[in-house]
């Protein structure tokens, strides 16, 4: 077994050991299989299909007032479809860690020269980017076209992108939260149960304790709607953004700390 | 235990407990370079735990170990760079093909070039006999094919140390033969450390053996030494005809320690323990054939089976009941 082309020994150090290879493997699991196609069809049907129904209904009900219909569509896109995407994010990534542990592939991979942070962070990075592309970016582009059909208008681009930014942050929070739950629990049930439970708590609790939106990501959907509709944001809008970023960092750090101590 | 400078694996009172249950107790092990080291023990003896400790997949409760001089806890990545590992029940990403699995594995060790990696992957596929199935998803692979792939991914980096956990467990006889052949071939440039229940295989290829029972090391020795056993030199003799007088005459010889009838032979086979092997070699047959009524149909030093030694040791260590 002697290759004629000399091989270069990998020289990565620290947490980067194995990271590129893991990213390549994760990327291939999304884009070299039918997974991307399934997600693309799913989210186009769920998000843009739902918006089509709402748009058709709204444009009739509001007597073809395009501005009112546009406002309604933006609200539905970020609130209702946003919720679908958040649940989808949890369901899609719940087995990133749990599944590998149950299947035994985690043990196999971690017996190779790869750091545990590389194993975890590659999943977070690739799942996040792939999901955002398929469940947010493409539906957003299609949404732009849909608004033309229903209102003959297009949403203002920059405010809409601000709304997308809030939504990205919200999705990344649940991506990190699902990651840490996947490290803490051994089965999928508690992972998706706690994460989706938190999502629904975010629909109910702010009505009971309004200040909770300052310390959680639960107010980000409303901020996304206001931004996209060009309505002024609350003065303290940076608080939920900053605290969500801190939550994301905290979840990732806890996941890395715990995973480093896991035994396989 | 003699400490040598060419030790590939060295453990010092290595211990592991899971939820208070002691899986491995103060293991002192030394594996020499370029040996084929058989790691034996009944189920639950701590073999897989030891292997996982060496690979950094579990952490020791106490004690330490080095592989190629690298600490298994602090330098685990450096340890794994030089190891090829076959897990007991190999599982892979089902959507990948054998070629993709090997490529993915190789890229943990090599940064490139891509052509070199592809050549290495193809060479490995040829060796493990999966070249014709290289591009099929492993989802459809049989147990034997998965095991072959496991051996392939364990050696794709041409490791200095190959750790195999039950490598032949799910293979048919031909597959087992191939695995043993690969192990023997690898001995020239690598050390092979493997656990198994198939004692015949161990006897065929291993040069050193360690036996673990209930988390404790109960024997570690070159296989020839272990097979010689603690009973000294024993000759197996098959006799026909009048034998009582011959037996009495044998027992009267000063170099004969004991004469026992071998079990399940209807008295036809004796095991003669001797204190002086050269005296026995010269005189044993002569003493027996002195009586014309006795015929000796087989004669030679008793070849112990590893299975016998293993059972003696394990049962003597309290696992036999």
């Amino acid at each position: 077994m002697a290759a004629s082309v000399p091989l270069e020994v990998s020289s990565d150090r620290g947490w980067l050991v194995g990271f590129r290879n893991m990213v390549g493997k994760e990327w291939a699991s999304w884009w070299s299989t039918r997974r991307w196609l399934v997600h693309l069809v799913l989210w186009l049907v769920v998000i843009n299909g739902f918006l089509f129904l709402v748009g058709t209904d709204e444009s009739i009900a509001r007597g073809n007032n395009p501005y009112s219909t546009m406002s309604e569509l933006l609200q539905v896109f970020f609130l209702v479809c946003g919720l679908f995407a958040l649940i989808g994010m949890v369901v899609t990534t719940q087995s990133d860690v749990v599944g590998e542990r149950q299947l035994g592939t985690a043990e196999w991979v971690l017996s190779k020269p790869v750091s545990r942070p590389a194993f975890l962070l590659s999943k977070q990075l690739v799942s996040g980017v792939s999901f955002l592309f398929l469940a947010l970016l493409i539906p957003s582009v299609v949404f732009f076209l849909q608004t033309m059909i229903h209102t003959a208008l297009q949403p203002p681009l920059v405010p809409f992108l601000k709304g997308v930014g809030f939504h990205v942050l919200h999705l990344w929070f649940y991506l990190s939260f699902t990651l840490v739950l996947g490290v803490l629990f051994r089965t999928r049930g508690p992972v998706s149960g706690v994460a989706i439970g938190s999502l629904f708590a975010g629909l109910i609790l702010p009505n009971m304790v309004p200040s909770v939106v300052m310390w959680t990501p639960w107010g980000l959907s409303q901020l996304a709607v206001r931004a996209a509709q060009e309505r002024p944001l609350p003065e303290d809008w940076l608080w939920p953004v900053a605290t969500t970023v801190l939550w994301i960092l905290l979840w990732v750090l806890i996941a890395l700390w715990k995973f480093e101590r896991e035994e396989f | 235990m003699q400490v040598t400078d060419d030790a590939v694996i060295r453990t010092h009172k290595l211990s592991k407990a899971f939820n208070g249950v002691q899986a491995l107790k103060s293991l002192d092990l030394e594996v020499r370079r370029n040996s084929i080291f058989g790691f034996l023990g009944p189920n639950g003896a701590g073999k897989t735990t030891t292997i996982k400790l060496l690979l950094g997949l579990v952490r020791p409760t106490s004690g330490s170990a080095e592989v190629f001089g690298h600490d298994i806890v602090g330098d685990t990545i450096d340890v794994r760079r030089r190891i090829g590992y076959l897990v007991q029940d190999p599982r892979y990403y089902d959507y990948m093909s054998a070629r993709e699995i090997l490529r993915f594995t190789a890229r943990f060790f090599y940064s490139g070039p891509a052509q070199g990696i592809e050549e290495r992957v193809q060479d490995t596929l040829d060796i493990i006999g999966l070249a014709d199935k290289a591009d099929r998803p492993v989802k459809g692979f049989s147990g034997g094919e998965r095991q072959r792939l496991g051996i392939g991914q364990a050696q794709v980096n041409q490791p200095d140390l190959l750790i195999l956990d039950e490598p032949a467990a799910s293979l048919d006889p031909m597959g087992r033969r191939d695995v043993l052949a690969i192990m023997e071939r690898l001995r020239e440039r690598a050390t092979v450390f493997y656990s198994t229940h198939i004692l015949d295989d161990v006897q065929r290829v291993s040069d050193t053996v360690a036996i673990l029972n209930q988390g404790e090391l109960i024997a570690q020795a070159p296989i020839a030494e272990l097979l010689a056993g603690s009973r000294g030199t024993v000759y197996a003799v098959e006799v026909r005809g009048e034998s009582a007088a011959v037996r009495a005459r044998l027992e009267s010889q000063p170099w004969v320690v004991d004469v026992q009838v071998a079990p399940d032979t209807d008295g036809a086979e004796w095991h003669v323990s001797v204190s002086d092997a050269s005296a026995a070699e010269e005189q044993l047959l002569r003493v027996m054939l002195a009586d014309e009524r006795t015929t000796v149909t087989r004669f030679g030093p008793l070849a112990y089976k590893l299975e016998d030694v293993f059972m003696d040791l394990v049962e003597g260590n309290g696992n036999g009941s």
Side-chain angles (χ1 to χ4, degrees):
Chain A
M1 190 168 71
S4 60
V5 179
L7 292 167
E8 293 157 20
V9 175
S10 176
S11 57
D12 291 337
R13 291 280 152 199
W15 72 269
L16 278 172
V17 175
F19 182 69
R20 269 185 304 174
N21 194 28
M22 283 301 300
V23 167
K25 191 277 286 182
E26 292 294 328
W27 191 259
S29 80
W30 274 91
W31 300 97
S32 297
T33 64
R34 282 186 302 181
R35 192 177 183 187
W36 69 272
L37 187 61
V38 171
H39 274 273
L40 182 65
V41 172
L42 176 72
W43 297 114
L44 285 176
V45 170
V46 170
I47 295 177
N48 299 103
F50 187 74
L51 282 163
F52 179 79
L53 296 176
V54 171
T56 307
D57 185 52
E58 283 296 315
S59 50
I60 295 166
R62 292 178 188 270
N64 291 326
N65 178 347
Y67 294 99
S68 175
T69 302
M70 171 66 80
S71 179
E72 185 69 19
L73 285 175
L74 284 168
Q75 185 158 7
V76 171
F77 181 74
F78 284 109
L79 287 184
V80 181
C81 299
L83 183 66
F84 293 155
L86 287 165
I87 293 172
M89 172 69 91
V90 171
V91 172
T92 302
T93 58
Q94 62 174 332
S95 54
D96 272 2
V97 178
V98 172
E100 291 233 22
R101 192 158 36 199
Q102 287 179 337
L103 194 64
T105 46
E107 178 192 339
W108 169 57
V109 170
L110 292 171
S111 72
K112 306 300 173 198
V114 56
S115 74
R116 294 192 179 191
F119 183 88
L120 270 193
L121 294 176
S122 62
K123 291 181 177 299
Q124 166 119 109
L125 179 69
V126 176
S127 288
V129 169
S130 302
F131 191 87
L132 288 174
F133 186 81
L134 293 165
L136 181 59
L137 187 65
I138 291 182
S140 296
V141 172
V142 175
F143 174 73
F144 254 70
L145 301 174
Q146 281 184 293
T147 56
M148 292 290 290
I149 296 168
H150 296 300
T151 66
L153 297 171
Q154 280 187 341
L157 183 62
V158 173
F160 182 78
L161 288 178
K162 280 184 190 171
V164 168
F166 284 119
H167 192 40
V168 166
L169 194 60
H170 201 180
L171 279 163
W172 210 276
F173 170 88
Y174 277 98
L175 175 69
S176 310
F177 192 42
T178 310
L179 178 82
V180 74
L181 292 171
V183 174
L184 294 174
F185 293 110
R186 290 282 185 276
T187 55
R188 290 178 176 85
V191 176
S192 53
V194 172
I196 293 173
S198 155
L199 262 172
F200 284 101
L203 298 177
I204 300 163
L205 278 178
N207 297 322
M208 298 157 69
V209 188
S211 64
V212 78
V213 298
M214 291 292 135
W215 308 100
T216 62
W218 294 335
L220 291 176
S221 294
Q222 288 295 348
L223 288 177
V225 173
R226 290 175 81 109
Q229 289 176 335
E230 292 186 285
R231 288 157 57 200
L233 297 176
E235 285 181 3
D236 47 10
W237 67 273
L238 263 175
W239 269 105
V241 170
T243 52
T244 301
V245 170
L246 290 176
W247 277 119
I248 290 170
L249 289 173
L250 182 67
W251 297 142
V252 172
L253 288 175
I254 292 174
L256 292 175
W257 179 84
K258 182 72 173 68
F259 197 64
E260 199 67 51
R261 283 151 187 78
E262 282 291 295
E263 297 192 329
F264 294 89
Chain B
M1 182 175 63
Q2 188 187 358
V3 176
T4 56
D5 291 327
D6 62 350
V8 169
I9 298 172
R10 190 176 282 153
T11 70
H12 313 276
K13 304 201 177 309
L14 190 65
S15 303
K16 179 65 186 176
F18 294 105
N19 301 319
V21 178
Q22 202 70 28
L24 195 64
K25 299 170 190 167
S26 203
L27 178 70
D28 287 312
L29 198 69
E30 187 177 304
V31 178
R32 285 186 297 115
R33 196 178 299 272
N34 296 111
S35 61
I36 297 186
F37 194 101
F39 198 44
L40 316 178
N43 287 333
K47 304 186 297 294
T48 299
T49 299
T50 305
I51 288 172
K52 288 185 174 186
L53 281 163
L54 296 174
L55 288 159
L57 293 169
V58 298
R59 287 171 169 245
T61 310
S62 62
S64 63
E66 294 104 42
V67 178
F68 295 109
H70 296 294
D71 180 68
I72 57 163
V73 177
D75 308 324
T76 180
I77 296 282
D78 289 325
V79 169
R80 281 181 263 149
R81 281 187 203 278
R82 298 183 67 178
I83 288 180
Y85 170 52
L86 171 64
V87 67
Q88 188 170 357
D89 179 20
R91 301 294 182 92
Y92 309 106
Y93 300 109
D94 279 348
Y95 62 87
M96 282 189 181
S97 65
R99 188 185 303 280
E100 287 168 332
I101 297 274
L102 293 177
R103 187 186 295 138
F104 173 56
T105 307
R107 282 182 174 160
F108 281 119
F109 298 92
Y110 306 108
S111 56
Q115 189 192 340
I117 290 175
E118 291 308 313
E119 280 185 21
R120 176 67 63 84
V121 167
Q122 187 59 49
D123 286 345
T124 308
L125 286 165
D126 291 337
I127 286 172
I128 59 177
L130 288 177
D132 57 333
K133 293 176 180 169
D135 298 306
R136 291 187 200 166
V138 296
K139 187 162 53 180
F141 275 24
S142 68
E145 287 166 343
R146 279 175 179 266
Q147 199 75 355
R148 283 165 185 270
L149 179 57
I151 290 163
Q153 62 80 34
Q155 63 164 331
V156 75
N157 57 314
Q158 297 189 345
D160 297 318
L161 170 63
L162 197 62
I163 296 182
L164 310 171
D165 197 357
E166 299 285 356
S170 58
L171 296 179
D172 57 26
M174 289 171 69
R176 270 174 55 200
R177 183 199 61 193
D178 293 347
V179 169
L180 296 181
I182 289 172
M183 285 164 63
E184 286 193 292
R185 197 163 56 227
L186 287 171
R187 186 210 301 257
E188 291 168 16
R189 58 168 179 75
T191 306
V192 181
F193 180 84
Y194 76 112
S195 75
T196 183
H197 287 112
I198 305 171
L199 300 177
D200 283 348
D201 292 353
V202 179
Q203 196 162 345
R204 274 169 62 189
V205 300
S206 303
D207 41 38
T208 312
V209 169
I211 299 177
L212 209 59
N213 189 36
Q214 297 177 345
E216 286 182 275
L217 185 69
I218 55 174
Q220 181 183 195
I223 194 152
E225 196 178 301
L226 201 68
L227 290 177
S230 58
R231 291 161 61 186
T233 307
V234 178
Y235 278 82
V237 185
E238 202 170 274
V239 290
R240 283 191 197 147
E242 169 56 41
S243 59
V246 174
R247 183 170 179 171
R249 196 159 51 249
L250 266 183
E251 285 172 335
S252 69
Q253 301 298 316
W255 39 268
V256 172
V257 177
D258 184 30
V259 179
Q260 287 188 348
V261 174
D264 306 324
T265 60
D266 291 332
E269 185 177 323
W270 300 350
H271 288 173
V272 184
S273 302
V274 299
S275 57
D276 184 342
S278 58
E281 198 174 308
E282 285 174 16
Q283 299 175 48
L284 180 58
L285 196 56
R286 208 167 285 144
V287 169
M288 296 186 74
L289 293 174
D291 189 332
E292 290 181 351
R293 294 170 296 171
T294 304
T295 307
V296 176
T297 55
R298 195 161 58 86
F299 169 81
L302 179 64
Y304 285 109
K305 283 194 168 180
L306 185 59
E307 189 176 341
D308 301 328
V309 177
F310 177 83
M311 296 305 287
D312 283 351
L313 286 166
V314 170
E315 288 177 358
N317 191 241
N319 197 49
S321 54

